[in-house]
Coordinates of all heavy atoms in Angstrom, one line a residue:
M1048 N 31.9 26.8 15.2 CA 32.5 26.8 16.5 C 31.5 27.5 17.5 O 31.2 28.7 17.3 CB 33.8 27.5 16.5 CG 34.7 27.3 17.7 SD 36.3 28.1 17.6 CE 37.0 27.7 16.1
G1049 N 31.1 26.8 18.5 CA 30.2 27.4 19.5 C 30.9 28.3 20.5 O 32.1 28.2 20.7
H1050 N 30.1 29.2 21.1 CA 30.7 30.1 22.1 C 31.2 29.4 23.3 O 32.2 29.9 23.9 CB 29.7 31.2 22.5 CG 28.5 30.8 23.3 ND1 27.4 30.2 22.8 CD2 28.3 30.9 24.6 CE1 26.6 29.9 23.8 NE2 27.1 30.4 24.9
R1051 N 30.6 28.4 23.8 CA 31.1 27.6 24.9 C 32.5 27.0 24.6 O 33.4 27.0 25.5 CB 30.1 26.5 25.4 CG 28.8 27.1 25.9 CD 29.0 27.4 27.4 NE 27.7 27.8 27.9 CZ 27.5 28.9 28.7 NH1 28.5 29.6 29.0 NH2 26.3 29.2 29.1
Y1052 N 32.6 26.5 23.4 CA 33.9 25.9 23.0 C 35.0 27.0 23.1 O 36.1 26.8 23.6 CB 33.8 25.3 21.6 CG 35.1 24.8 21.1 CD1 35.6 23.6 21.6 CD2 35.9 25.5 20.3 CE1 36.9 23.1 21.1 CE2 37.1 25.1 19.8 CZ 37.6 23.9 20.3 OH 38.8 23.4 19.8
V1053 N 34.7 28.2 22.6 CA 35.7 29.3 22.5 C 36.0 29.7 24.0 O 37.2 29.9 24.3 CB 35.1 30.5 21.7 CG1 36.1 31.7 21.8 CG2 35.0 30.1 20.3
Q1054 N 35.0 29.8 24.8 CA 35.3 30.1 26.2 C 36.2 29.1 26.9 O 37.2 29.5 27.6 CB 33.9 30.1 27.0 CG 33.1 31.3 26.8 CD 31.8 31.3 27.5 OE1 31.2 30.2 27.8 NE2 31.2 32.4 27.8
R1055 N 35.9 27.8 26.7 CA 36.8 26.8 27.3 C 38.2 26.9 26.7 O 39.2 26.7 27.4 CB 36.2 25.4 27.1 CG 35.0 25.1 28.0 CD 34.6 23.7 28.0 NE 34.1 23.2 26.7 CZ 32.9 23.3 26.3 NH1 31.9 23.7 27.1 NH2 32.5 22.8 25.1
M1056 N 38.3 27.1 25.4 CA 39.6 27.2 24.7 C 40.4 28.4 25.3 O 41.6 28.2 25.6 CB 39.4 27.4 23.2 CG 40.7 27.4 22.4 SD 40.5 27.5 20.7 CE 39.7 29.0 20.5
V1057 N 39.8 29.5 25.5 CA 40.5 30.7 26.0 C 41.0 30.4 27.5 O 42.1 30.7 27.8 CB 39.6 31.9 26.0 CG1 40.2 33.1 26.8 CG2 39.4 32.4 24.6
K1058 N 40.1 29.8 28.3 CA 40.5 29.5 29.6 C 41.6 28.4 29.7 O 42.5 28.5 30.5 CB 39.3 29.0 30.4 CG 38.3 30.0 30.7 CD 37.4 29.7 31.8 CE 36.4 30.8 32.1 NZ 36.9 32.0 32.6
R1059 N 41.6 27.5 28.8 CA 42.6 26.4 28.7 C 44.0 27.1 28.4 O 45.0 26.8 29.0 CB 42.2 25.4 27.7 CG 43.2 24.2 27.6 CD 42.7 23.0 26.8 NE 42.4 23.4 25.4 CZ 41.1 23.5 24.9 NH1 40.1 23.2 25.6 NH2 41.0 23.9 23.6
Y1060 N 44.0 27.9 27.4 CA 45.2 28.6 27.0 C 45.7 29.6 28.0 O 46.9 29.7 28.2 CB 45.1 29.3 25.6 CG 45.2 28.3 24.5 CD1 44.1 27.9 23.7 CD2 46.5 27.7 24.2 CE1 44.2 27.0 22.7 CE2 46.6 26.8 23.1 CZ 45.5 26.5 22.4 OH 45.6 25.6 21.4
A1061 N 44.8 30.2 28.7 CA 45.2 31.1 29.8 C 45.9 30.3 30.9 O 46.9 30.7 31.5 CB 44.0 31.9 30.3
A1062 N 45.3 29.2 31.3 CA 45.9 28.3 32.3 C 47.2 27.8 31.8 O 48.2 27.8 32.6 CB 45.0 27.1 32.6
K1063 N 47.4 27.4 30.6 CA 48.6 26.9 30.0 C 49.7 28.0 30.1 O 50.9 27.7 30.3 CB 48.4 26.5 28.6 CG 49.2 25.4 28.1 CD 48.8 25.0 26.7 CE 49.2 23.6 26.3 NZ 48.9 23.3 25.0
A1064 N 49.3 29.3 29.9 CA 50.2 30.4 30.0 C 50.4 30.9 31.4 O 51.1 31.9 31.7 CB 49.7 31.6 29.1
E1065 N 49.8 30.2 32.4 CA 49.9 30.5 33.8 C 49.4 31.9 34.1 O 50.0 32.6 35.0 CB 51.4 30.3 34.3 CG 51.8 28.8 34.1 CD 53.2 28.6 34.6 OE1 53.9 29.5 35.1 OE2 53.7 27.4 34.5
I1066 N 48.3 32.3 33.5 CA 47.7 33.5 33.8 C 46.7 33.3 34.9 O 45.8 32.4 34.7 CB 47.0 34.1 32.5 CG1 48.0 34.4 31.4 CG2 46.2 35.3 32.9 CD1 47.4 34.8 30.1
D1067 N 46.9 34.0 36.0 CA 46.0 33.7 37.2 C 44.7 34.5 37.1 O 43.8 34.1 37.9 CB 46.8 34.2 38.4 CG 48.0 33.3 38.7 OD1 48.0 32.1 38.3 OD2 49.0 33.8 39.2
K1068 N 44.6 35.5 36.3 CA 43.3 36.2 36.2 C 42.3 35.4 35.5 O 42.6 34.5 34.7 CB 43.6 37.5 35.5 CG 44.5 38.5 36.2 CD 44.6 39.8 35.4 CE 45.6 40.7 36.2 NZ 45.7 42.0 35.5
D1069 N 41.0 35.8 35.7 CA 39.9 35.2 35.0 C 39.9 35.8 33.6 O 39.6 37.0 33.4 CB 38.6 35.5 35.7 CG 37.4 34.8 35.1 OD1 37.6 33.7 34.5 OD2 36.3 35.3 35.1
V1070 N 40.1 35.0 32.6 CA 40.2 35.4 31.2 C 39.1 34.8 30.4 O 38.8 33.6 30.5 CB 41.6 35.0 30.5 CG1 41.7 35.5 29.1 CG2 42.7 35.5 31.3
S1071 N 38.5 35.6 29.6 CA 37.3 35.2 28.7 C 37.5 35.8 27.3 O 38.3 36.7 27.2 CB 36.0 35.6 29.3 OG 35.9 37.0 29.3
P1072 N 36.7 35.4 26.4 CA 36.8 36.0 25.1 C 36.5 37.5 25.2 O 37.0 38.3 24.5 CB 35.7 35.2 24.2 CG 35.7 33.9 24.9 CD 35.9 34.1 26.4
H1073 N 35.5 37.8 26.1 CA 35.2 39.2 26.3 C 36.4 40.0 26.8 O 36.6 41.2 26.4 CB 34.0 39.3 27.2 CG 33.3 40.6 27.2 ND1 32.6 41.1 26.2 CD2 33.3 41.6 28.2 CE1 32.1 42.3 26.5 NE2 32.5 42.6 27.7
T1074 N 37.1 39.5 27.7 CA 38.3 40.1 28.2 C 39.3 40.4 27.1 O 39.9 41.5 27.0 CB 39.0 39.2 29.3 OG1 38.1 38.8 30.3 CG2 40.2 39.9 29.9
L1075 N 39.5 39.4 26.2 CA 40.4 39.6 25.1 C 39.9 40.7 24.2 O 40.7 41.5 23.6 CB 40.5 38.3 24.3 CG 41.1 37.1 25.0 CD1 41.2 35.9 24.2 CD2 42.5 37.5 25.5
R1076 N 38.6 40.8 24.0 CA 38.0 41.9 23.1 C 38.3 43.2 23.7 O 38.7 44.2 23.0 CB 36.5 41.6 23.0 CG 35.8 42.6 22.1 CD 34.3 42.1 21.9 NE 33.5 43.2 21.4 CZ 33.2 43.5 20.2 NH1 33.8 42.8 19.2 NH2 32.4 44.5 19.9
H1077 N 38.1 43.4 25.0 CA 38.4 44.6 25.7 C 39.8 45.0 25.6 O 40.2 46.1 25.3 CB 38.0 44.5 27.2 CG 36.6 44.8 27.6 ND1 36.2 46.1 27.8 CD2 35.6 44.0 27.7 CE1 34.9 46.0 28.1 NE2 34.5 44.8 28.0
T1078 N 40.7 44.0 25.8 CA 42.2 44.3 25.8 C 42.6 44.7 24.4 O 43.3 45.6 24.2 CB 42.9 43.0 26.2 OG1 42.5 42.6 27.5 CG2 44.4 43.2 26.2
F1079 N 42.0 44.0 23.3 CA 42.4 44.3 22.0 C 41.9 45.8 21.7 O 42.7 46.6 21.1 CB 41.6 43.4 21.0 CG 41.6 43.8 19.6 CD1 42.8 43.8 18.8 CD2 40.5 44.4 19.0 CE1 42.8 44.2 17.5 CE2 40.5 44.9 17.7 CZ 41.7 44.8 17.0
A1080 N 40.7 46.1 22.1 CA 40.2 47.5 21.8 C 41.1 48.5 22.5 O 41.4 49.6 21.8 CB 38.7 47.6 22.3
T1081 N 41.4 48.3 23.7 CA 42.2 49.3 24.5 C 43.6 49.4 23.8 O 44.1 50.5 23.6 CB 42.3 48.9 25.9 OG1 41.0 48.8 26.5 CG2 43.1 49.9 26.7
D1082 N 44.2 48.3 23.5 CA 45.5 48.3 22.9 C 45.5 49.0 21.5 O 46.4 49.8 21.2 CB 46.1 46.9 22.7 CG 46.6 46.3 24.1 OD1 46.6 47.1 25.1 OD2 46.8 45.1 24.1
L1083 N 44.5 48.7 20.7 CA 44.3 49.4 19.4 C 44.3 50.9 19.5 O 44.9 51.6 18.8 CB 43.1 48.8 18.7 CG 42.9 49.4 17.3 CD1 44.0 49.1 16.3 CD2 41.6 48.8 16.7
Y1084 N 43.4 51.3 20.5 CA 43.3 52.8 20.7 C 44.7 53.4 21.2 O 45.1 54.4 20.7 CB 42.2 53.1 21.7 CG 42.2 54.6 21.9 CD1 41.7 55.5 21.0 CD2 42.7 55.2 23.1 CE1 41.6 56.8 21.1 CE2 42.7 56.6 23.3 CZ 42.2 57.4 22.3 OH 42.2 58.7 22.5
R1085 N 45.3 52.7 22.1 CA 46.6 53.2 22.6 C 47.7 53.3 21.5 O 48.5 54.2 21.5 CB 47.1 52.4 23.8 CG 46.3 52.6 25.0 CD 46.8 51.9 26.2 NE 46.0 52.2 27.4 CZ 45.8 51.4 28.4 NH1 46.3 50.2 28.4 NH2 45.1 51.7 29.4
E1086 N 47.6 52.4 20.6 CA 48.6 52.4 19.5 C 48.3 53.4 18.4 O 49.2 53.9 17.8 CB 48.7 51.0 18.9 CG 49.4 50.0 19.8 CD 50.9 50.3 20.1 OE1 51.6 50.7 19.2 OE2 51.3 50.2 21.2
T1087 N 47.0 53.6 18.1 CA 46.6 54.4 17.0 C 46.0 55.8 17.4 O 46.1 56.7 16.6 CB 45.6 53.7 16.1 OG1 44.4 53.6 16.9 CG2 46.1 52.4 15.6
S1088 N 45.5 55.9 18.6 CA 44.8 57.1 19.0 C 43.6 57.4 18.2 O 43.2 58.6 18.1 CB 45.7 58.3 19.1 OG 46.8 58.1 20.1
K1089 N 43.1 56.4 17.5 CA 41.9 56.6 16.6 C 40.7 55.9 17.2 O 40.5 54.7 16.9 CB 42.3 56.1 15.2 CG 43.4 56.9 14.5 CD 43.7 56.4 13.2 CE 44.8 57.2 12.6 NZ 45.2 56.7 11.2
I1090 N 39.9 56.6 18.0 CA 38.8 56.0 18.6 C 37.7 55.6 17.6 O 37.0 54.6 17.8 CB 38.2 57.0 19.7 CG1 37.2 56.3 20.6 CG2 37.5 58.2 19.0 CD1 37.8 55.2 21.5
R1091 N 37.6 56.4 16.5 CA 36.6 56.0 15.4 C 37.0 54.7 14.8 O 36.2 53.9 14.4 CB 36.5 57.1 14.4 CG 35.9 58.4 14.9 CD 34.4 58.2 15.1 NE 33.8 59.5 15.4 CZ 32.6 59.6 15.7 NH1 31.8 58.6 15.7 NH2 32.1 60.8 16.1
L1092 N 38.3 54.4 14.6 CA 38.8 53.1 14.1 C 38.4 52.0 15.0 O 37.8 51.0 14.6 CB 40.3 53.1 13.9 CG 40.9 51.8 13.5 CD1 40.4 51.3 12.2 CD2 42.4 51.9 13.6
V1093 N 38.6 52.2 16.3 CA 38.2 51.2 17.3 C 36.7 51.0 17.3 O 36.2 49.8 17.3 CB 38.7 51.6 18.7 CG1 38.2 50.6 19.8 CG2 40.2 51.8 18.8
Q1094 N 35.9 52.0 17.2 CA 34.5 52.0 17.1 C 34.1 51.1 15.9 O 33.2 50.2 16.0 CB 33.9 53.4 17.0 CG 32.3 53.3 16.8 CD 31.8 54.7 16.6 OE1 32.5 55.7 16.3 NE2 30.5 54.9 16.7
K1095 N 34.7 51.4 14.8 CA 34.3 50.6 13.6 C 34.7 49.1 13.7 O 33.9 48.3 13.3 CB 35.1 51.2 12.4 CG 34.7 50.7 11.0 CD 35.3 51.5 9.9 CE 34.9 51.0 8.6 NZ 35.4 51.7 7.5
V1096 N 35.9 48.9 14.2 CA 36.4 47.5 14.3 C 35.4 46.7 15.3 O 35.1 45.5 15.0 CB 37.8 47.5 14.8 CG1 38.2 46.1 15.3 CG2 38.8 48.0 13.8
L1097 N 35.0 47.3 16.4 CA 34.1 46.7 17.3 C 32.7 46.6 16.9 O 31.9 45.8 17.4 CB 34.2 47.4 18.7 CG 35.6 47.3 19.4 CD1 35.4 48.1 20.7 CD2 36.0 45.9 19.6
G1098 N 32.4 47.4 15.9 CA 31.0 47.4 15.4 C 30.0 48.2 16.3 O 28.8 47.9 16.2
H1099 N 30.5 49.1 17.0 CA 29.6 49.9 17.9 C 29.0 51.0 17.1 O 29.6 51.7 16.3 CB 30.4 50.5 19.0 CG 30.9 49.6 20.0 ND1 32.0 49.8 20.9 CD2 30.5 48.3 20.4 CE1 32.2 48.8 21.7 NE2 31.3 47.8 21.3
S1100 N 27.7 51.3 17.3 CA 27.1 52.4 16.6 C 27.2 53.7 17.4 O 27.2 54.8 16.9 CB 25.6 52.1 16.4 OG 24.9 51.8 17.6
D1101 N 27.4 53.6 18.7 CA 27.5 54.7 19.6 C 29.0 54.8 20.1 O 29.5 53.9 20.7 CB 26.6 54.6 20.8 CG 26.4 55.9 21.6 OD1 27.3 56.7 21.6 OD2 25.3 56.0 22.2
L1102 N 29.6 56.0 19.9 CA 31.0 56.2 20.3 C 31.1 56.1 21.8 O 32.2 55.7 22.3 CB 31.4 57.6 19.8 CG 32.9 57.9 20.1 CD1 33.8 56.9 19.4 CD2 33.2 59.3 19.5
S1103 N 30.1 56.5 22.5 CA 30.2 56.4 24.0 C 30.4 55.0 24.5 O 31.1 54.7 25.5 CB 29.0 57.1 24.7 OG 27.8 56.4 24.4
T1104 N 29.8 54.0 23.8 CA 29.9 52.6 24.1 C 31.4 52.2 23.9 O 32.0 51.5 24.8 CB 29.1 51.8 23.2 OG1 27.7 52.1 23.3 CG2 29.2 50.3 23.5
T1105 N 32.0 52.7 22.9 CA 33.4 52.4 22.6 C 34.3 53.0 23.7 O 35.3 52.3 24.1 CB 33.8 52.9 21.2 OG1 32.9 52.4 20.2 CG2 35.2 52.5 20.8
M1106 N 34.0 54.2 24.1 CA 34.8 54.8 25.2 C 34.7 54.0 26.4 O 35.7 53.8 27.1 CB 34.3 56.2 25.4 CG 34.5 57.2 24.3 SD 36.2 57.7 24.1 CE 36.5 58.6 25.6
I1107 N 33.5 53.6 26.8 CA 33.4 52.8 28.0 C 34.1 51.4 27.9 O 34.8 50.9 28.7 CB 31.9 52.6 28.4 CG1 31.3 53.9 28.7 CG2 31.7 51.5 29.5 CD1 29.7 53.8 28.7
Y1108 N 33.9 50.8 26.7 CA 34.4 49.5 26.4 C 35.9 49.5 26.5 O 36.5 48.5 27.0 CB 33.9 49.1 25.0 CG 33.9 47.7 24.7 CD1 32.8 46.9 25.0 CD2 35.0 47.0 24.2 CE1 32.7 45.6 24.7 CE2 35.0 45.6 24.0 CZ 33.8 44.9 24.3 OH 33.8 43.6 24.0
T1109 N 36.6 50.5 26.0 CA 38.0 50.5 26.0 C 38.7 51.0 27.3 O 39.9 51.1 27.4 CB 38.6 51.3 24.8 OG1 38.0 52.6 24.8 CG2 38.2 50.6 23.5
H1110 N 37.8 51.5 28.2 CA 38.3 52.0 29.5 C 39.3 53.2 29.3 O 40.3 53.3 29.9 CB 39.0 50.9 30.3 CG 38.2 49.7 30.5 ND1 37.1 49.7 31.3 CD2 38.3 48.5 30.0 CE1 36.6 48.5 31.3 NE2 37.3 47.7 30.5
I1111 N 38.9 54.0 28.4 CA 39.8 55.2 28.0 C 39.3 56.4 28.6 O 38.1 56.8 28.6 CB 39.9 55.3 26.5 CG1 40.6 54.1 25.9 CG2 40.5 56.6 26.1 CD1 40.4 54.0 24.4
H1112 N 40.3 57.2 29.2 CA 40.0 58.5 29.7 C 40.9 59.5 28.9 O 42.0 59.6 29.1 CB 40.2 58.6 31.2 CG 40.0 60.0 31.7 ND1 38.7 60.5 31.8 CD2 40.8 61.0 32.0 CE1 38.8 61.8 32.2 NE2 40.1 62.1 32.3
D1113 N 40.3 60.1 27.9 CA 41.0 61.0 27.0 C 40.2 62.3 27.0 O 39.1 62.3 26.4 CB 41.1 60.4 25.6 CG 41.9 61.3 24.7 OD1 41.9 62.5 24.8 OD2 42.6 60.7 23.8
P1114 N 40.6 63.3 27.7 CA 39.9 64.6 27.8 C 39.5 65.1 26.4 O 38.4 65.6 26.3 CB 40.8 65.5 28.5 CG 41.8 64.6 29.3 CD 41.9 63.4 28.4
E1115 N 40.3 65.1 25.4 CA 40.0 65.6 24.1 C 38.9 64.8 23.5 O 37.9 65.4 23.0 CB 41.2 65.6 23.2 CG 40.9 66.2 21.8 CD 42.2 66.1 20.9 OE1 43.2 65.7 21.4 OE2 42.0 66.5 19.8
V1116 N 38.9 63.5 23.6 CA 37.8 62.7 23.0 C 36.6 62.9 23.8 O 35.5 63.0 23.2 CB 38.2 61.2 23.0 CG1 37.1 60.4 22.6 CG2 39.4 61.0 22.1
E1117 N 36.6 63.1 25.1 CA 35.4 63.3 25.9 C 34.8 64.6 25.5 O 33.6 64.7 25.4 CB 35.8 63.3 27.4 CG 35.9 62.0 28.0 CD 36.0 62.0 29.5 OE1 35.6 63.0 30.1 OE2 36.6 61.0 30.0
R1118 N 35.6 65.7 25.3 CA 35.1 67.0 24.9 C 34.3 66.8 23.5 O 33.2 67.4 23.3 CB 36.2 68.0 24.8 CG 36.6 68.6 26.1 CD 37.4 69.9 25.9 NE 38.6 69.6 25.1 CZ 39.8 69.1 25.6 NH1 39.9 68.8 26.9 NH2 40.8 68.9 24.8
E1119 N 35.0 66.1 22.6 CA 34.3 66.0 21.3 C 33.1 65.2 21.4 O 32.1 65.4 20.7 CB 35.3 65.3 20.3 CG 36.5 66.2 19.9 CD 37.4 65.6 18.9 OE1 36.9 64.8 18.0 OE2 38.6 65.9 18.9
L1120 N 33.1 64.1 22.2 CA 31.9 63.3 22.4 C 30.7 64.1 23.0 O 29.6 64.0 22.5 CB 32.2 62.1 23.3 CG 31.1 61.1 23.5 CD1 30.7 60.5 22.2 CD2 31.6 60.0 24.5
K1121 N 31.0 64.9 24.0 CA 30.0 65.8 24.6 C 29.5 66.8 23.6 O 28.3 67.0 23.5 CB 30.6 66.5 25.8 CG 30.7 65.6 27.0 CD 31.3 66.3 28.2 CE 31.6 65.4 29.3 NZ 32.3 66.0 30.4
S1122 N 30.3 67.3 22.8 CA 29.9 68.3 21.7 C 29.0 67.6 20.7 O 28.0 68.1 20.3 CB 31.2 68.9 21.0 OG 30.8 69.6 20.0
F1123 N 29.4 66.4 20.3 CA 28.6 65.6 19.4 C 27.2 65.3 19.9 O 26.3 65.5 19.2 CB 29.3 64.3 19.0 CG 28.5 63.3 18.2 CD1 28.4 63.6 16.8 CD2 27.9 62.3 18.8 CE1 27.7 62.7 16.0 CE2 27.1 61.4 18.0 CZ 27.0 61.6 16.6
H1124 N 27.2 64.9 21.2 CA 25.9 64.6 21.8 C 25.0 65.9 21.9 O 23.8 65.8 21.7 CB 26.0 64.0 23.2 CG 26.3 62.6 23.1 ND1 25.5 61.6 22.6 CD2 27.4 61.9 23.5 CE1 26.0 60.4 22.7 NE2 27.2 60.5 23.2
Q1125 N 25.6 67.0 22.2 CA 24.9 68.3 22.3 C 24.3 68.7 20.9 O 23.2 69.1 20.8 CB 25.7 69.4 22.9 CG 26.0 69.2 24.4 CD 27.0 70.2 24.9 OE1 27.7 70.9 24.1 NE2 27.2 70.2 26.2
E1126 N 25.1 68.5 19.9 CA 24.6 68.8 18.5 C 23.5 67.8 18.1 O 22.5 68.3 17.5 CB 25.8 68.7 17.6 CG 26.8 69.7 17.7 CD 28.0 69.5 16.8 OE1 28.0 68.7 15.9 OE2 29.1 70.2 17.1
A1127 N 23.6 66.6 18.5 CA 22.6 65.6 18.2 C 21.3 65.9 18.8 O 20.2 65.8 18.3 CB 23.0 64.2 18.5
I1128 N 21.3 66.4 20.1 CA 20.1 66.7 20.8 C 19.5 68.0 20.3 O 18.3 68.1 20.2 CB 20.5 67.0 22.3 CG1 20.9 65.6 23.0 CG2 19.3 67.6 23.1 CD1 21.5 65.7 24.4
A1129 N 20.3 68.9 19.8 CA 19.8 70.2 19.2 C 19.0 69.9 17.9 O 18.2 70.7 17.6 CB 20.9 71.1 19.0
V1130 N 19.3 68.9 17.2 CA 18.7 68.6 15.9 C 17.3 68.1 16.0 O 16.6 67.7 16.7 CB 19.5 67.6 15.1 CG1 18.8 67.2 13.8 CG2 20.9 68.2 14.8

């Protein structure tokens, strides 16, 4: 299945569901990631499911603002830089 076919399929089903927003496979991926985090509060699980090597990418990707996770992420980066 090609990526263009999947894009058209998603747009077709969005139109059928009367969704007025621009919907793409990428939109669905973002929504899935955000919902998974909100349901589980496990950012590392989301990172693993999405296949991201960098946790900061997952944070941006899921549009999450979680002060505790941000503190841990900053701490992790400071430790990585110190090594």
Side-chain angles (χ1 to χ4, degrees):
M1048 192 179 312
H1050 71 279
R1051 293 277 184 222
Y1052 176 78
V1053 173
Q1054 285 175 332
R1055 285 191 297 268
M1056 184 175 63
V1057 168
K1058 290 205 181 285
R1059 187 171 55 250
Y1060 280 108
K1063 215 175 198 181
E1065 299 180 359
I1066 297 172
D1067 294 329
K1068 294 181 180 182
D1069 186 30
V1070 180
S1071 68
H1073 195 70
T1074 306
L1075 297 177
R1076 183 174 160 90
H1077 274 272
T1078 302
F1079 167 76
T1081 302
D1082 288 349
L1083 180 61
Y1084 178 73
R1085 286 184 178 149
E1086 288 297 318
T1087 66
S1088 298
K1089 296 180 180 180
I1090 194 68
R1091 291 287 185 185
L1092 171 64
V1093 177
Q1094 178 186 12
K1095 188 174 182 177
V1096 169
L1097 295 179
H1099 291 158
S1100 57
D1101 192 334
L1102 185 59
S1103 62
T1104 303
T1105 307
M1106 292 290 293
I1107 293 166
Y1108 203 89
T1109 54
H1110 307 288
I1111 292 168
H1112 178 73
D1113 184 326
E1115 182 181 355
V1116 173
E1117 280 188 26
R1118 279 193 303 277
E1119 288 184 32
L1120 183 60
K1121 286 177 185 174
S1122 173
F1123 173 77
H1124 280 297
Q1125 288 173 349
E1126 290 173 17
I1128 292 170
V1130 172

